[in-house]
């Protein structure tokens, strides 16, 4: 059988990534040692497992992509002129005070100068802003709390990165490292897409900010993912990438890692899915289920959570990784890209709206709360997560925790089970 070209490329990529992950593993083990030494009395961690395989496709988050042999859905590119002519009202036309514009870049030219960029960050973190553009009902105290939360997340991440990835920011940023980052040029935003952490609604918001839709309500799920005409940062040249990383507001929204994992499992394996069942379900069932029925082997439907986790933790996975369960630390490179705003799914609407007001988004634009996938299924909560994890034994839970350990530490999520170490 002749290998399709994309498969050859994937094999090369896998080999490269394999080498990369060995280095990473070495580094993480180093890190583990350091952490153990630096936190006396606390039995901190085991190195996260090496991620020796990465699925080479780049599916749209929360979307069901075409089978690997078929073409990926086209990404529509357009020129910067297109973007400019599409524009909504610039922040200055929306009656915001200049003082609030200087906090985040807004649309002013000066924002791209280094000094101003630094100031912008400081101002954000110091919570030095007026309340005039707060959503109604938000007191100054509330905004201060949100700003302090930002400041403490930043401090933690900065310390983490300084200790464990020193010098990372001196390396040039590659296109691959910004492949999950979406660009919104009007409001000068960069959003790193984390699937299962509100990304569909973020894409809707970016579309409205860029003038491609008047309201988030009008945007169906598939359009948000496949017809969004949003540009990814990787589509620019080196200078375009560097300029935007330097002067735009970089946004990351995260989620409790086990909850995100359960949410991904429920979404992709518990309801019919024409991509994940054949591509992931079949090899998972065939590898991890004894006495699987022919039907299960054929359809790939009915993967259990435990089988899914066995696949995730297997260093020799029968099928690669996927962005829906890839750790945020590897999707969005937080130490390298130094996000200005770190929001959480746990306070998604509140923090997203806070950010939207800070960047001078149109007042009638608030963060939507559409539940895109399986609208009738209950949202994955911490109690649902506990229920799924109770299907695993202690060793499996520990290994899953190790797998997402970086995400737990970087973003200060607490241990989801008492018996983890
Ligand atoms: C928000 O306001 C803009 C113009 O100010 C308008 O075009 C748009 O339709 C409004 N959106 C909603 C959801 O009301
Ligand atoms: C699988 O099938 C064989 C033969 O029918 C049986 O002996 C064995 O117990 C089954 N294993 C499991 C795990 O069900
Ligand atoms: C937990 O399950 C794994 C299979 O995933 C098995 O190898 C291991 O022995 C089990 N551990 C315990 C403590 O039962
Ligand atoms: C991390 O979270 C805990 C509560 O879970 C809190 O007490 C602690 O101050 C946080 N640490 C940092 C550095 O934000």
């Amino acid at each position: 059988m002749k290998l399709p070209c994309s498969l050859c490329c994937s094999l090369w990529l896998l080999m490269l990534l394999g080498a990369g992950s060995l280095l990473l593993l070495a580094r993480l083990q180093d890190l583990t040692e350091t952490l153990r030494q630096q936190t006396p009395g606390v039995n901190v961690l085991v190195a996260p497992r090496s991620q020796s395989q990465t699925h080479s496709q780049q599916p749209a988050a929360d979307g069901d992509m075409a089978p690997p042999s078929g073409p990926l859905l086209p990404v529509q590119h357009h020129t910067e002129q297109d973007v400019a002519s599409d524009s909504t009202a610039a922040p200055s036309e929306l009656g915001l005070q200049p003082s609030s514009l200087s906090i985040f870049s807004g649309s002013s030219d000066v924002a791209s100068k280094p000094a101003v960029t630094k100031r912008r960050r400081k101002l954000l973190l110091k919570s030095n802003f007026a309340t005039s553009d707060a959503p109604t009902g938000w007191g100054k105290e509330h905004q201060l709390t949100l700003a302090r939360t930002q400041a403490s997340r930043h401090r933690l991440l900065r310390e983490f990165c300084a200790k464990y990835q020193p010098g990372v920011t001196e390396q040039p940023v590659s296109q691959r490292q910004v492949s999950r980052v979406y660009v919104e040029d009007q409001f000068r935003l960069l959003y790193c897409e984390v699937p299962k952490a509100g990304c569909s609604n973020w894409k809707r918001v970016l579309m409205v900010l860029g003038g491609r839709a008047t309201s988030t309500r009008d945007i169906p799920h598939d359009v948000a993912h496949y017809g969004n005409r949003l540009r990814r940062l990787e589509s620019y040249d080196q200078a375009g990438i560097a300029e935007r990383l330097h002067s735009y507001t970089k946004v990351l929204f995260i989620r409790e890692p086990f909850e995100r994992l359960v949410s991904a499992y429920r979404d992709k394996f518990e309801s019919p899915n024409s991509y994940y069942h054949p591509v992931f379900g079949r090899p998972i069932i065939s590898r991890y289920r004894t006495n699987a029925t022919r039907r299960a082997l054929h359809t790939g439907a009915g993967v259990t959570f435990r089988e899914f986790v066995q696949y995730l933790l297997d260093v020799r996975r029968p099928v690669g990784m996927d962005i829906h369960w890839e750790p945020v630390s590897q999707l969005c490179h937080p130490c390298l890209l130094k996000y200005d705003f770190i929001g959480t799914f746990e306070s998604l609407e509140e923090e997203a709206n806070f950010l939207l007001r800070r960047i001078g988004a149109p007042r009638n634009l608030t963060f939507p709360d559409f539940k895109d996938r399986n609208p009738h299924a209950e949202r994955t909560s911490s109690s649902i997560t506990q229920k799924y994890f109770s299907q695993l034994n202690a060793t499996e839970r520990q290994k899953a925790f190790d797998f997402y350990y970086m995400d737990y530490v970087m973003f200060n999520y607490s241990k989801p089970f008492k018996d983890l170490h």
Side-chain angles (χ1 to χ4, degrees):
M1 195 181 90
K2 190 167 171 290
L3 290 177
C5 174
S6 63
L7 188 53
C8 303
C9 298
S10 318
L11 288 175
W12 269 109
L13 195 64
L14 278 181
M15 287 171 66
L16 283 174
L17 288 172
S21 56
L22 277 182
L23 286 175
L24 178 72
L25 185 63
R27 162 155 236 151
L28 290 176
Q29 266 157 358
D30 255 343
L31 187 160
T32 307
E33 285 312 306
T34 327
L35 261 184
R36 283 191 193 282
Q37 284 157 14
Q38 290 181 351
T39 33
V42 185
N43 187 9
V44 201
L45 55 140
V46 186
R49 321 220 97 206
S50 116
Q51 318 230 316
S52 54
Q53 295 169 320
T54 297
H55 206 249
S56 58
Q57 304 267 349
Q58 300 261 307
D62 284 352
D64 297 330
M65 50 186 292
S69 54
L72 288 179
L73 285 145
V75 178
Q76 298 188 26
H77 292 280
H78 44 81
T79 63
E80 299 199 35
Q81 279 81 5
D82 284 340
V83 175
S85 63
D86 263 4
S87 75
T88 51
S92 56
E93 292 162 37
L94 296 164
L96 295 182
Q97 295 153 1
S99 65
S100 65
L101 284 179
S102 67
I103 292 169
F104 265 107
S105 56
S107 65
S108 89
D109 286 335
V110 287
S112 58
K113 290 186 186 145
V116 178
T117 309
K118 283 216 180 80
R119 190 163 148 254
R120 161 174 66 99
R121 257 173 226 155
K122 275 216 182 90
L123 283 170
L124 169 70
L125 299 181
K126 277 196 180 150
S127 62
N128 171 8
F129 46 78
T131 51
S132 58
D133 50 355
T136 28
W138 282 24
K140 187 159 190 157
E141 260 321 297
H142 187 59
Q143 291 195 69
L144 275 174
T145 307
L146 290 170
R148 284 195 197 106
T149 303
Q150 283 301 311
S152 78
R153 283 181 198 151
H154 272 263
R155 199 178 330 107
L156 179 78
L157 188 58
R158 216 171 38 239
E159 285 166 11
F160 175 91
C161 295
K163 263 188 207 154
Y164 306 120
Q165 298 191 15
V168 71
T169 54
E170 280 140 44
Q171 295 156 15
V173 175
S174 71
Q175 282 171 319
R176 196 183 57 77
Q177 287 165 321
V178 295
S179 63
R180 308 309 318 174
V181 176
Y182 284 88
V183 178
E184 206 302 289
D185 279 315
Q186 293 303 303
F187 286 84
R188 305 167 69 86
L189 276 189
L190 297 178
Y191 165 71
C192 186
E193 168 187 52
V194 175
K196 311 317 300 171
C199 76
S200 307
N201 282 329
W202 261 112
K203 287 178 178 172
R204 291 189 173 97
V205 165
L206 295 182
M207 287 173 73
V208 173
L209 286 175
R212 292 190 198 105
T214 47
S215 158
T216 53
R217 299 215 159 271
D218 311 333
I219 308 173
H221 175 261
D222 282 357
V223 174
H225 286 290
Y226 302 124
N228 57 37
R229 296 176 60 214
L230 296 170
R231 240 178 117 166
R232 296 195 198 204
L233 191 52
E234 67 175 350
S235 72
Y236 293 84
D237 61 15
Q238 283 299 332
I241 292 173
E243 207 277 320
R244 284 173 179 79
L245 279 175
H246 185 70
S247 63
Y248 282 22
T249 302
K250 290 166 287 184
V251 177
L252 174 66
F253 271 76
I254 52 173
R255 183 175 187 174
E256 204 282 331
F258 275 10
E259 238 175 271
R260 185 172 157 245
L261 181 68
V262 170
S263 174
Y265 164 76
R266 295 176 72 206
D267 178 12
K268 303 307 178 203
F269 296 102
E270 283 191 346
S271 23
N273 193 305
S274 62
Y275 174 71
Y276 283 89
H277 290 189
V279 174
F280 287 88
R282 274 185 203 147
I284 290 176
I285 290 173
S286 121
R287 172 78 66 97
Y288 306 106
R289 186 178 300 176
T290 33
N291 296 352
T293 63
R294 276 175 67 187
R295 187 176 159 71
L297 288 170
H298 177 70
T299 61
V303 170
T304 66
F305 184 63
R306 184 147 188 235
E307 288 164 347
F308 173 61
V309 171
Q310 283 179 300
Y311 141 79
L312 183 77
L313 300 176
D314 191 341
V315 284
R316 287 190 296 270
R317 287 181 202 107
V319 52
M321 278 294 285
D322 179 84
I323 54 169
H324 294 84
W325 40 90
E326 183 106 77
V328 175
S329 53
Q330 301 196 13
L331 279 177
C332 294
H333 305 280
C335 289
L336 181 68
L337 302 186
K338 297 196 277 187
Y339 292 90
D340 300 295
F341 193 95
I342 303 164
T344 59
F345 183 81
E346 290 73 24
S347 334
L348 177 59
E349 275 176 66
E350 182 181 44
E351 293 182 347
N353 283 322
F354 175 64
L355 174 66
L356 287 176
R357 304 290 73 84
R358 299 318 313 151
I359 61 167
R363 278 159 183 273
N364 64 2
L365 174 60
T366 51
F367 197 80
D369 66 348
F370 305 128
K371 182 179 188 298
D372 278 271
R373 309 283 305 176
N374 312 313
H376 303 299
E378 197 185 340
R379 266 186 215 264
T380 301
S381 60
S382 75
S383 61
I384 289 183
T385 303
Q386 298 268 331
K387 210 176 81 200
Y388 279 83
F389 270 84
S390 68
Q391 298 164 26
L392 309 181
N393 69 33
T395 318
E396 291 165 325
R397 275 204 299 270
Q398 180 64 48
K399 284 185 174 167
F401 183 64
D402 296 343
F403 188 87
Y404 289 103
Y405 189 79
M406 286 299 160
D407 286 8
Y408 274 99
V409 182
M410 278 187 177
F411 305 117
N412 197 30
Y413 280 109
S414 44
K415 280 188 305 189
F417 291 90
K418 286 199 181 69
D419 60 355
L420 295 171
H421 50 82

